[in-house]
């Protein structure tokens, strides 16, 4: 016989276990024998292959082609410098590939390290004490304690259950939750046995205890390695945009190379010289640092987010979060502190505080069933902490139990016989207990689900018929408490004469009272809401609470600004068509109340069809589909179930709404940082192209050589560009609306600023320095200069150095793109500062050392040349400040006019 065919006692005996669990010494022995409860990772791409891929991506292939053409040209026409160009391009490919791989490797290591902040825990019974341990430390014979939302960490045989249902989809493919119980099974296979839970499945509802009989690779899950086989990587919006950008820039680079080859041919340049310059133009226009910059930007934002209690599970989700336009958030624990306390109790048509009831024992005694209900109808667990038994679980139930114990002055321990579990559809929990006299069903839950089941009410110890008038009184009392922001629960009970195993017993109940629980808003949420409004992010509360409670909390925290927000209940939501829901979502203030978790999907789908980027919070099993459907799924790190965390893109380590806003700020910075990087590297393309144009069209000596272009793109510019990609969020990033849907990283506004403003002025400074040196050397138009003449070498060095100096200025202009650099923090990015220092050191090395002069074709510059270059670079700064000033003057009236139209 197999273990699922045994009786409970026989199953325990077969594994030498007991109802009280294993001893610590037995656990140690079995851990050595059976190993850790973990699945061997299916081998993915080798490190060597991942390293090789950094040399065969789209940009790298263009550079390989350019290097191949250069070596081919050298073989056909030796002595034209093509060999040096080829080696230089190979150096570019190697440096960029190694750096990209290192950045990606570091980013993955950082993500892996951060995710270890949330290890997988399970509850087990050992030595008759419930303990919380790492799932990897489970051994055969352990007694698991399971409840709704838990992932099943090992194959186990149920010992006892209360309304347990399990989702087997990951192992068996069954789409619907399956009921499970502890009775012996006649099934041959474990997969279909009603008393077994398989590793990799999840508990949908109810609770139970189970005996572990297989761990790690010995489980059914381990045998098929299902988890590692079903992981599917999808491209994020940022990844798709980067691929689009890569294609555009590649086409642009190749097109410019072809155009300049044609121009050179038309003005009579030799084929091989022309060919060399065309290759150089292509190389100069390929942004070699784009991919490592994107990785660095995302990785650094991820690390900053972790410090702000937001753990990113998928790297590209960082930028997606920054583009969020709507946040659908839970109330309890996210907007509020999840620290429940009983504030008001409604008994016998009167409102009481817990303190008042503790002083009036006659009322407590006359309403004893109510307090028994508050004490017993719960799913709390007890564990030994510091030598004392301590309950843990739902804060609401902890508050109710504490109040009941205080008022009763004694602890009642009526054995629980069965339970009808709470779920988001029923919105109530019933437990069945054996009291000294009879069997009693205690029920608590939302007023609208409990009150219709009541045919009687308890008043001063008497059982009376429930009249329509009494129902209205109860509903008015509920609304009165809900208007104060209290969470209201109804309590009822009944005696059971026969049978106690069915949900059908929840009828003909006796209503005994209402409780209003206070869950105060988190103090930092109000400020976070203000930031959302300023940032143009719409916040929609989606809660299971009463509409009046939701509105009251919404007004307290500033989520609701109008007097009459739109409130849609779950019942109303079911009746709305898709069009009606989409129209309703246009309301400035909207709340969804008494909504089941599975209804979140309807809301998310409607918002996405309206072209919103949707972030959704969730903590329960039923939240997982909505978390997956959303653009950014956000799970709770403290209260969230394992299922919700695995479905999410981000996990809040503190369950705090304010942490979402901090993460959005970091996400917005990623997008802006990539745009800053693009502006910076594209600006230098113009002063690198213009010298060739003038050389080809006006027959002047070539102002800038190919090797000098490569020194700029891959030497002096690289680190400052990476620094721009890792900048912290700007102070004004959360004072403007999310970027428009469909906005591109590379748009005409960015191209115009880079190519036709910053780039043009850099070209003017570079050519001005070049012609200044030629003029002081008495060069006349039409005179030819030998490539090794001192005057020519000094002139090209002036052009080269002028581009570096203007790029030093440009890095600050790009760092603060919208307002004056004198209003921002210029020196808060150490990577940029070290990059500028490296630029200066490299420039001095290239300009003033014999080895640098030989390799790069340069010559030392005199002081007079620097007195021309540096002031002209500062003129560039002044012109950019003037541009920002006039743009701001034109933008502010337009924004004011739009606001007046909106008002």
């Amino acid at each position: 016989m197999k273990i699922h065919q045994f009786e409970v006692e026989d199953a325990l005996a077969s594994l030498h276990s007991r109802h009280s669990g294993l001893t610590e010494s037995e656990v140690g022995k079995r851990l050595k024998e059976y190993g850790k409860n973990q699945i061997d990772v299916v081998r993915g791409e080798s490190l060597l292959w991942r390293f090789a891929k950094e040399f065969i991506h789209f940009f790298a292939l263009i550079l390989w082609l350019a290097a191949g053409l250069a070596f081919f040209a050298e073989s056909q026409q030796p002595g034209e410098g093509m060999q040096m160009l080829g080696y230089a391009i190979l150096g570019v490919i190697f440096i960029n590939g190694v750096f990209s791989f290192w950045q990606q490797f570091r980013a993955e290591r950082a993500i892996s390290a951060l995710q270890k902040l949330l290890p997988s825990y399970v509850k087990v019974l050992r030595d008759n004490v419930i303990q919380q341990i790492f799932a990897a430390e489970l051994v055969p014979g352990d007694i698991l304690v399971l409840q709704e939302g838990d992932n099943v960490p090992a194959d186990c045989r149920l010992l006892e259950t209360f309304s347990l249902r399990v989702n087997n989809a990951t192992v068996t493919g069954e789409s619907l939750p399956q009921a499970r119980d502890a009775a012996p099974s006649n099934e041959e296979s474990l997969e279909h046995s009603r008393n077994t839970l398989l590793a990799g499945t999840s508990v949908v509802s109810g609770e139970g205890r189970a005996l572990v009989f297989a761990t790690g690779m010995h489980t059914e899950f381990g045998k098929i390695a299902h988890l590692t086989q079903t992981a599917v990587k999808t491209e994020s919006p940022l990844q798709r945009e980067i691929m689009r950008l890569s294609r555009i820039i590649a086409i642009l680079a190749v097109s410019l190379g072809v155009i300049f080859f044609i121009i050179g041919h038309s003005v009579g340049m030799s084929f091989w010289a022309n060919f060399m310059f065309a290759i150089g133009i292509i190389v100069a226009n390929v942004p070699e640092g784009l991919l490592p910059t994107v990785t660095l930007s995302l990785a650094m934002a991820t690390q900053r987010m972790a410090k702000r209690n937001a753990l990113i599970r998928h790297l590209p989700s960082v930028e997606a979060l920054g583009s969020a336009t709507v946040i659908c958030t839970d109330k309890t624990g996210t907007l509020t502190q999840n620290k429940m306390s009983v504030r008001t109790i409604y008994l016998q048509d009167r409102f009481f505080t817990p303190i008042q009831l503790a002083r009036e024992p006659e009322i407590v005694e006359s309403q004893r069933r109510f307090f028994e209900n508050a004490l017993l109808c719960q799913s709390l667990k007890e564990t030994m902490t510091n030598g004392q038994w301590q309950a843990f679980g739902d804060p609401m139930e902890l508050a109710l139990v504490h109040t009941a114990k205080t008022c009763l002055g004694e602890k009642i321990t009526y054995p629980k016989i069965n339970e009808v579990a709470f779920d988001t559809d029923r919105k109530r929990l019933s437990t069945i207990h054996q009291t000294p006299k009879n069997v009693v069903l205690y029920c608590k839950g939302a007023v609208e689900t409990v009150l219709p089941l009541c045919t009687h009410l308890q008043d001063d110890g008497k059982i009376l018929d429930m009249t329509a008038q009494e129902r209205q009184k109860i509903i008015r009392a509920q609304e009165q408490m809900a208007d104060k922001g209290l969470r209201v629960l109804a309590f009822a009970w009944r005696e059971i004469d026969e049978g106690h195993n069915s949900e059908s017993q929840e009828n003909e109940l006796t209503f005994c009272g209402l409780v209003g629980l206070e869950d105060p808003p988190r103090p930092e949420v109000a400020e976070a809401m203000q930031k959302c409004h300023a940032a143009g992010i719409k916040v929609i509360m989606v809660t299971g609470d009463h509409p009046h409670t939701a509105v009251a909390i919404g007004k307290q925290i500033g989520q609701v600004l109008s007097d009459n927000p739109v409130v849609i209940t779950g019942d109303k939501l079911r009746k709305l068509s898709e069009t009606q829901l989409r129209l309703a979502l246009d309301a400035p203030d909207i709340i969804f109340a008494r909504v089941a978790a599975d209804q979140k999907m309807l809301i998310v789908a409607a918002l996405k069809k309206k072209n919103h980027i949707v972030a959704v919070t969730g903590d329960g099993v039923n939240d997982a589909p909505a978390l997956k459907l959303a653009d950014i799924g956000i799970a709770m790190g403290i209260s969230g179930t394992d299922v919700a965390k695995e479905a999410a893109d981000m996990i809040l380590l503190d369950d705090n709404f304010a942490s979402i806003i901090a993460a959005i700020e970091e996400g917005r910075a990623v997008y802006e940082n990539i745009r800053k990087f693009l502006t910076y590297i594209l600006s230098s393309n113009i002063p690198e192209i213009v010298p060739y144009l003038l050389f080809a069209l006006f027959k002047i000596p070539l102002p800038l050589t190919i090797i000098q272009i490569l020194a700029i793109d891959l030497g002096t510019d690289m680190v400052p560009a990476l620094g721009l990609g890792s900048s912290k969020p700007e102070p004004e990033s959360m004072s403007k609306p999310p970027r428009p849907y469909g906005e591109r990283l590379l748009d005409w506004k960015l191209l115009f600023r880079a190519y036709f403003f910053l780039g043009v002025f850099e070209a003017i400074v570079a050519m001005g320095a070049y012609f200044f040196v030629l003029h002081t050397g008495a060069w006349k138009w039409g005179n030819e200069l030998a490539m090794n003449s001192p005057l020519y070498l000094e002139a090209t060095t002036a052009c080269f150095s002028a581009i570096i100096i203007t790029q030093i200025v440009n890095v600050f202009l790009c760092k603060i793109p919208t307002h004056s650099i004198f209003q921002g923090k210029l020196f808060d990015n150490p990577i940029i500062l070290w990059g500028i220092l490296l630029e200066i050191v490299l420039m001095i090395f290239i300009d003033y050392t014999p080895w640098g002069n030989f390799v790069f074709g340069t010559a030392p510059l005199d002081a007079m040349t620097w007195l021309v270059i540096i002031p002209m670079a500062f003129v560039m700064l002044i012109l950019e400040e003037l541009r920002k000033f006039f743009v701001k003057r034109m933008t502010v009236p337009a924004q004011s006019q739009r606001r007046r139209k909106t008002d």
Side-chain angles (χ1 to χ4, degrees):
M1 293 177 66
K2 297 180 180 178
I3 193 167
H4 63 283
Q5 297 170 329
F6 289 157
E7 294 286 347
V8 168
E9 297 299 332
D10 294 332
L12 284 166
S14 70
L15 289 171
H16 302 285
S17 186
R18 60 195 71 83
H19 285 286
S20 59
L22 299 173
T23 64
E24 291 299 331
S25 60
E26 289 173 329
V27 169
K29 292 176 184 176
R30 297 189 186 197
L31 194 58
K32 287 181 180 178
E33 181 177 352
Y34 297 102
K36 288 193 173 183
N37 177 41
Q38 57 191 20
I39 303 297
D40 293 342
V41 178
V42 175
R43 184 171 181 175
E45 292 179 345
S46 69
L47 208 61
L48 185 62
W49 171 241
R50 288 166 57 197
F51 179 71
K53 283 173 68 175
E54 297 298 336
F55 298 91
I56 55 174
H57 59 75
F58 196 51
F59 285 156
L61 291 176
I62 295 174
L63 295 176
W64 279 113
L65 178 63
L69 291 173
F71 287 121
F72 175 75
E74 177 68 22
S75 67
Q76 300 298 311
Q77 188 78 19
E80 294 290 331
M82 299 301 287
Q83 187 177 33
M84 181 175 286
L85 176 60
Y87 284 124
I89 296 173
L90 290 179
V92 170
I93 297 170
F94 178 76
I95 293 170
N96 186 62
V98 170
F99 187 78
S100 294
F101 171 76
W102 177 240
Q103 282 301 329
Q104 189 70 33
F105 181 72
R106 285 184 63 219
E108 290 176 3
R109 289 283 297 273
I111 289 288
S112 177
L114 289 172
Q115 290 195 9
K116 289 178 182 176
L117 294 173
L118 285 172
S120 178
Y121 290 102
V122 295
K123 290 187 284 291
V124 297
L125 185 66
R126 289 177 178 172
D127 284 329
N128 209 29
V129 176
I130 294 178
Q131 304 177 21
Q132 186 165 269
I133 65 168
F134 292 117
E137 295 173 359
L138 275 178
V139 296
D142 262 326
I143 307 297
L144 269 176
V145 180
L146 296 164
Q147 62 186 19
E148 177 182 335
D150 287 346
N151 278 345
V152 180
D155 288 353
C156 46
R157 195 260 192 232
L158 286 164
L159 302 178
E160 63 179 46
T161 64
F162 292 105
S163 304
L164 191 75
R165 290 190 299 160
V166 63
N167 182 353
N168 283 336
T170 53
V171 176
T172 66
E174 295 167 303
S175 59
L176 297 175
Q178 305 295 310
R180 289 291 181 263
D181 58 48
S185 172
N186 293 322
E187 291 282 350
E188 285 298 322
S189 65
L190 286 171
E191 293 89 342
H192 299 100
S193 172
R194 285 179 59 87
N195 64 13
T196 56
L197 301 178
L198 301 180
T201 61
S202 56
V203 179
V204 174
S205 63
E207 57 185 67
R209 294 189 179 190
L211 172 68
V212 175
F213 63 81
T215 58
M217 294 305 293
H218 302 289
T219 64
E220 295 300 309
F221 192 88
K223 291 172 185 176
I224 59 176
H226 189 81
L227 183 63
T228 52
Q229 301 299 329
T230 55
V232 178
K233 290 186 178 180
T234 57
E235 287 185 343
S236 72
L238 179 63
Q239 289 170 318
R240 291 193 294 270
E241 182 67 8
I242 292 297
M243 288 304 299
R244 170 188 168 273
L245 182 62
S246 300
R247 288 192 293 268
I248 290 174
I249 293 177
I251 292 170
L252 178 65
V254 174
S255 299
L256 285 173
V258 172
I259 290 170
F260 284 118
F261 183 84
I262 295 171
I263 292 173
H265 179 73
S266 64
V267 297
M269 288 182 63
S270 68
F271 176 83
W272 292 111
N274 194 18
F275 189 69
M276 181 177 72
F277 288 122
I279 293 173
I281 291 297
I282 293 172
V283 173
N285 280 277
V286 172
E288 297 85 359
L290 175 61
L291 300 181
T293 298
V294 170
T295 303
L296 177 66
S297 184
L298 292 172
M300 295 195 70
T302 297
Q303 293 170 2
R304 290 196 298 266
M305 284 182 178
K307 293 177 182 177
R308 301 173 82 169
N309 293 312
L311 172 62
I312 295 296
R313 296 185 69 241
H314 307 295
L315 203 59
S317 301
V318 176
E319 190 275 332
L321 185 64
S323 60
T325 58
V326 175
I327 303 172
C328 294
T329 178
D330 294 325
K331 178 183 75 68
T332 303
T334 307
L335 300 177
T336 61
Q337 298 178 29
N338 202 19
K339 295 179 180 178
M340 295 284 188
S341 59
V342 175
R343 283 288 174 262
T344 305
I345 299 175
Y346 177 75
L347 301 170
Q348 303 177 179
D349 293 340
R350 293 171 58 191
F351 290 102
F352 299 91
T353 66
I355 295 175
Q356 287 174 323
L357 287 172
R359 295 171 180 170
E360 300 189 38
E362 66 280 0
I363 295 179
V364 173
E365 188 58 34
S366 68
Q367 296 292 328
R368 188 175 181 82
R369 287 294 193 202
F370 168 81
F371 292 99
E372 289 177 356
N373 194 335
L375 183 64
L376 298 173
C377 187
Q378 39 89 355
S379 301
L380 299 175
K381 301 290 183 294
E382 286 192 338
T383 185
M384 183 72 73
T385 304
N386 297 325
Q388 293 183 338
W389 288 100
Q390 183 174 346
F392 64 94
D394 190 333
M396 177 189 68
E397 294 187 335
L398 289 170
L400 291 170
V401 168
H402 173 75
T403 300
K405 286 181 178 178
T406 302
C407 293
L408 285 171
E410 60 178 306
K411 183 177 180 181
I412 299 172
T413 56
Y414 298 156
K416 184 195 291 187
I417 300 172
N418 206 345
E419 174 181 304
V420 186
F422 174 90
D423 64 42
T424 54
D425 293 323
R426 288 166 28 82
K427 296 187 178 71
R428 63 181 182 271
L429 166 69
S430 292
T431 58
I432 301 171
H433 296 262
Q434 179 67 60
T435 70
K437 293 182 179 180
N438 46 30
V439 177
V440 178
L441 179 146
Y442 297 102
C443 179
K444 74 176 180 191
V447 178
E448 63 268 27
T449 67
V450 174
L451 192 58
L453 303 176
C454 296
T455 55
H456 300 81
L457 64 87
Q458 183 175 328
D459 186 5
D460 197 19
K462 300 176 184 178
I463 307 300
L464 307 176
D465 289 337
M466 176 73 74
T467 64
Q469 184 180 4
E470 292 295 338
R471 288 184 191 275
Q472 288 304 313
K473 280 186 182 179
I474 294 168
I475 291 172
R476 283 196 296 272
Q478 174 205 17
E479 291 177 349
Q480 190 174 338
M481 287 191 280
D483 285 338
K484 297 177 182 178
L486 301 180
R487 185 175 187 179
V488 185
L489 295 179
F491 291 77
W493 61 277
R494 68 164 291 186
E495 294 179 353
I496 299 176
D497 295 326
E498 55 183 33
H500 43 72
N501 295 317
S502 171
E503 188 176 334
S504 62
Q505 298 290 344
E506 292 180 326
N507 55 55
E508 298 183 3
L509 303 181
T510 298
F511 173 83
C512 57
L514 300 176
V515 169
L517 296 110
E518 181 184 44
D519 183 13
R522 292 179 179 268
E524 60 273 21
V525 166
E527 182 183 351
M529 284 294 173
Q530 291 178 357
K531 287 185 176 181
C532 281
H533 293 309
I537 300 170
K538 186 173 185 175
V539 180
I540 299 175
M541 187 192 299
V542 183
T543 179
D545 268 349
H546 190 276
H548 290 215
T549 305
V551 171
I553 294 294
K555 288 181 177 180
Q556 287 181 42
I557 62 177
Q559 183 244 333
V560 173
L561 300 179
S562 59
D563 294 330
N564 298 302
V566 173
V567 180
I568 298 176
T569 63
D571 290 337
K572 184 178 179 181
L573 180 57
R574 289 186 181 91
K575 299 173 184 176
L576 293 180
S577 68
E578 182 183 316
T579 302
Q580 289 172 318
L581 176 58
R582 290 168 68 176
L583 290 171
L585 287 166
D586 290 331
D589 290 329
I590 185 169
I591 288 175
F592 290 89
R594 290 299 192 217
V595 172
D598 55 353
Q599 290 182 303
K600 280 187 181 180
M601 285 189 67
L602 299 175
I603 301 167
V604 173
L607 287 166
K608 291 185 74 172
K609 288 182 179 178
K610 291 173 71 68
N611 291 333
H612 281 292
I613 305 298
V614 187
V616 174
T617 69
D619 56 8
V621 175
N622 290 340
D623 289 323
L627 293 174
K628 286 184 177 180
L629 179 64
D631 296 287
I632 309 100
I634 304 170
M636 303 297 109
I638 299 173
S639 63
T641 61
D642 295 338
V643 177
K645 291 173 186 175
E646 288 178 5
D649 302 295
M650 184 177 93
I651 297 173
L652 293 184
L653 299 178
D654 59 355
D655 289 11
N656 194 339
F657 180 83
S659 299
I660 301 176
I661 309 308
I664 287 176
E665 186 177 15
E666 293 289 353
R668 287 190 173 188
V670 170
Y671 185 84
E672 291 302 321
N673 287 346
I674 297 172
R675 286 177 62 87
K676 292 174 185 178
F677 164 83
L678 286 172
T679 304
Y680 180 75
I681 60 170
L682 293 178
S683 298
S684 65
N685 287 351
I686 299 301
E688 292 171 352
I689 292 172
V690 166
Y692 175 68
L693 270 176
L694 298 180
F695 163 71
L697 297 176
F698 298 102
K699 302 293 186 181
I700 63 171
L702 180 64
L704 192 69
T705 66
I706 295 299
I707 198 71
Q708 290 168 351
I709 289 175
L710 294 175
I712 294 170
D713 289 350
L714 297 155
T716 60
D717 275 3
M718 183 63 78
V719 178
L722 291 171
L724 286 173
S726 63
S727 297
K728 295 179 181 179
E730 294 292 337
E732 73 277 6
S733 64
M734 293 298 286
S735 61
K736 55 187 178 182
R739 69 176 186 269
Y741 182 81
E743 180 180 286
R744 300 296 191 181
L745 270 174
L746 184 64
D747 56 15
W748 288 110
K749 182 179 177 182
L750 187 151
L751 281 173
F752 183 85
R753 180 168 179 249
Y755 278 163
F756 300 107
F757 186 78
L758 297 173
V760 166
F761 199 83
E762 285 191 24
I764 291 171
V765 175
M767 296 313 301
Y770 176 75
F771 283 118
F772 171 79
V773 172
L774 289 182
H775 176 73
T776 55
W779 176 82
K780 300 295 183 182
W781 192 283
N783 291 350
E784 290 190 6
L785 284 175
M787 298 290 288
N788 58 355
S789 69
L791 180 60
Y792 175 74
L793 294 176
E794 188 178 344
T796 59
T797 304
C799 181
F800 166 77
S801 301
I803 294 174
I804 294 175
I805 294 298
T806 52
Q807 280 291 84
I808 292 175
V809 174
N810 190 30
V811 75
F812 291 110
L813 303 184
C814 294
K815 182 180 184 293
I816 307 174
T818 55
H819 58 269
S820 172
I821 66 169
F822 302 109
Q823 297 174 354
K825 296 179 180 179
L826 289 179
F827 307 113
D828 63 336
N829 189 323
I831 298 180
I832 289 179
L833 298 180
W834 281 108
I836 291 172
L837 178 63
L838 179 63
E839 276 190 291
I840 294 171
V841 170
L842 284 174
M843 181 177 65
I844 292 172
F845 171 78
I846 292 171
D847 289 359
Y848 292 99
T849 66
W851 196 86
N853 295 159
F854 172 76
V855 173
F856 295 96
T858 56
L861 298 177
D862 57 26
M864 185 58 66
T865 305
W866 289 112
L867 290 176
V868 171
I869 293 173
I870 294 174
M872 289 179 70
F874 279 99
V875 171
M876 175 182 173
L877 169 63
I878 294 169
L879 289 176
E880 173 66 358
E881 287 292 297
L882 289 173
R883 184 196 69 81
K884 291 176 183 176
F885 174 75
F886 286 115
V887 167
K888 191 172 183 179
R889 285 194 63 180
M890 289 185 292
T891 304
V892 171
Q895 290 177 342
S896 301
Q897 189 175 3
R898 282 197 296 271
R899 288 195 196 100
R900 285 195 296 271
K901 287 181 179 180
T902 304
D903 297 339

